[in-house]
Amino acid sequence: MLISVALGQVLSLLICGIGLTSKYLSEDFHANTPVFQSFLNYILLFLVYTTTLAVRQGEENLLAILRRRWWKYMILGLIDLEANYLVVKAYQYTTLTSIQLLDCFVIPVVILLSWFFLLIRYKAVHFLGIVVCILGMGCMAGADVLVGRHQGAGENKLVGDLLVLGGATLYGISNVWEEYIIRTLSRVEFLGMIGLFGAFFSGIQLAIMEHKELLKVPWDWQIGLLYVGFSACMFGLYSFMPVVIKKTSATSVNLSLLTADLYSLFCGLFLFHYKFSGLYLLSFFTILIGLVLYSSTSTYIAQDPRVYKQFRNPSGPAVDLPATAQVEPSVTYTSLGQETEEEPHVRVA
């Protein structure tokens, strides 16, 4: 359980690095290039994972995957790109507090999609942990208002709030789709196809919408280093997130990422001279308590023949359950054992 929480915090620290480098680029060097920054990440994914698929043989080869599932990955690549773009764009219209609170909308989106499409079922303690995490997030937003932390322009809050909600919805769709792929196919296939289609669509969007901004960037070694740092954190986040999702779940990962803003704030106390409030510490520990509550017990899969086939036990005998069985099979998503290519075992209670 504690390892699951710790893995999520590694992702939060990577997001903290992404936020800090983006802040320096936009505020200190006036380099407002969110699409170009995403493009750099997708290019790295393409060079590492797409080329890995290209040299594989058989059904795991890049061309074989494209023949069977190209249109699905094309949609997923577009969703992933626009989710990043909408949330970054929202900073131009609404306040920081609105973005922090509305970005939590990704959590109910992931829960609903996991319930209906992955057939994951939650227990009361899971919902309690989720509520505690969101309360911690609200505590942090309240602390921002009390200490007068810079809130942004907020010139057209409605547009900005709608952009955040749209981005959070797309994030939720992308995360659940990612969980399905890495549990039924492979992590390398997911990252390779995201790199391929993400680079394609972000390149087009960059040429249409951001080429003028890119020409205005005052290039020097400091800006280059910030772009390298951003790309390294982003690449690490994309590469490591499937590992954490496979050991936990998309819902657990999104709850863990709530602490990312707090890590950025703690760094800002030293780098940007933010004002400190005890409510920030209260918020941090409240979110961690919620994470521990959520991770304290496993979710389970609804009784459905498709799920048993998908999460079959390759080493054990087939399990035939009657249609009227009252027992609930469970799949432990918080397994901390060594990751293998085998599908998770089903434990029938």
Side-chain angles (χ1 to χ4, degrees):
M1 178 186 65
L2 294 178
I3 292 177
S4 298
V5 173
L7 290 173
Q9 297 315 294
V10 173
L11 296 178
S12 282
L13 288 171
L14 288 171
I15 290 183
C16 173
I18 291 168
L20 290 176
T21 51
S22 295
K23 182 176 177 63
Y24 275 115
L25 283 169
S26 62
E27 295 190 4
D28 291 11
F29 298 96
H30 307 289
N32 297 306
T33 56
V35 178
F36 176 66
Q37 290 166 231
S38 295
F39 178 72
L40 292 176
N41 172 56
Y42 290 127
I43 288 296
L44 286 177
L45 293 175
F46 177 87
L47 292 175
V48 175
Y49 295 105
T50 309
T51 52
T52 300
L53 293 176
V55 299
R56 285 184 172 180
Q57 303 296 322
E59 294 299 309
E60 295 184 348
N61 178 263
L62 176 63
L63 294 179
I65 294 171
L66 286 173
R67 281 196 297 267
R68 296 194 304 271
R69 296 184 284 272
W70 67 270
W71 64 273
K72 297 178 182 178
Y73 285 114
M74 182 180 70
I75 295 173
L76 180 57
L78 189 60
I79 288 173
D80 188 77
L81 170 64
E82 297 310 321
N84 292 319
Y85 177 76
L86 289 178
V87 173
V88 172
K89 193 72 174 177
Y91 281 91
Q92 299 178 18
Y93 298 99
T94 190
T95 61
L96 177 64
T97 300
S98 292
I99 292 173
Q100 289 172 340
L101 292 176
L102 293 175
D103 202 33
C104 295
F105 186 67
V106 68
I107 295 172
V109 172
V110 169
I111 291 173
L112 288 174
L113 293 177
S114 297
W115 183 286
F116 289 107
F117 293 100
L118 300 184
L119 303 179
I120 296 175
R121 297 297 179 258
Y122 302 92
K123 301 173 185 177
V125 68
H126 294 125
F127 291 109
L128 177 61
I130 291 168
V131 170
V132 172
C133 285
I134 294 177
L135 286 175
M137 200 66 192
C139 182
M140 183 187 69
D144 284 341
V145 174
L146 289 175
V147 302
R149 187 178 170 196
H150 177 61
Q151 292 290 307
E155 296 175 353
N156 197 335
K157 281 186 89 286
L158 179 59
V159 173
D161 292 348
L162 290 176
L163 287 174
V164 178
L165 290 174
T169 301
L170 294 179
Y171 270 131
I173 295 171
S174 176
N175 287 166
V176 173
W177 205 336
E178 178 179 355
E179 180 174 356
Y180 176 80
I181 292 172
I182 62 177
R183 291 191 185 282
T184 58
L185 298 169
S186 76
R187 166 180 168 269
V188 174
E189 177 175 328
F190 168 77
L191 293 173
M193 302 309 289
I194 281 289
L196 175 63
F197 287 105
F200 175 75
F201 286 120
S202 62
I204 294 175
Q205 192 166 337
L206 174 64
I208 295 173
M209 302 176 61
E210 212 173 81
H211 64 282
K212 293 182 179 179
E213 286 291 335
L214 198 58
L215 293 175
K216 296 178 183 177
V217 175
W219 292 98
D220 60 20
W221 68 270
Q222 290 177 307
I223 291 181
L225 193 60
L226 286 172
Y227 275 116
V228 169
F230 175 91
S231 301
C233 290
M234 200 73 166
F235 179 77
L237 177 69
Y238 270 71
S239 298
F240 190 51
M241 183 177 281
V243 177
V244 183
I245 287 180
K246 190 169 185 178
K247 289 183 176 296
T248 57
S249 68
T251 305
S252 178
V253 166
N254 279 282
L255 290 173
S256 298
L257 296 183
L258 294 179
T259 58
D261 286 331
L262 285 162
Y263 289 128
S264 298
L265 180 123
F266 294 147
C267 291
L269 294 174
F270 302 97
L271 299 175
F272 310 116
H273 307 292
Y274 290 157
K275 293 181 180 179
F276 178 76
S277 170
L279 288 176
Y280 289 129
L281 287 178
L282 176 62
S283 172
F284 180 74
F285 287 111
T286 301
I287 293 174
L288 287 183
I289 290 171
L291 288 173
V292 170
L293 283 173
Y294 184 90
S295 304
S296 62
T297 186
S298 60
T299 55
Y300 61 91
I301 298 294
Q303 293 184 22
D304 189 292
R306 294 169 300 172
V307 178
Y308 280 107
K309 183 178 180 180
Q310 178 178 328
F311 295 97
R312 66 186 181 275
N313 183 342
S315 61
V319 178
D320 295 322
L321 291 179
T324 59
Q326 297 299 317
V327 295
E328 292 175 332
S330 61
V331 174
T332 301
Y333 280 173
T334 54
S335 171
L336 304 179
Q338 184 176 359
E339 180 179 357
T340 64
E341 292 300 320
E342 296 181 351
E343 295 168 329
H345 292 196
V346 174
R347 184 178 69 248
V348 180

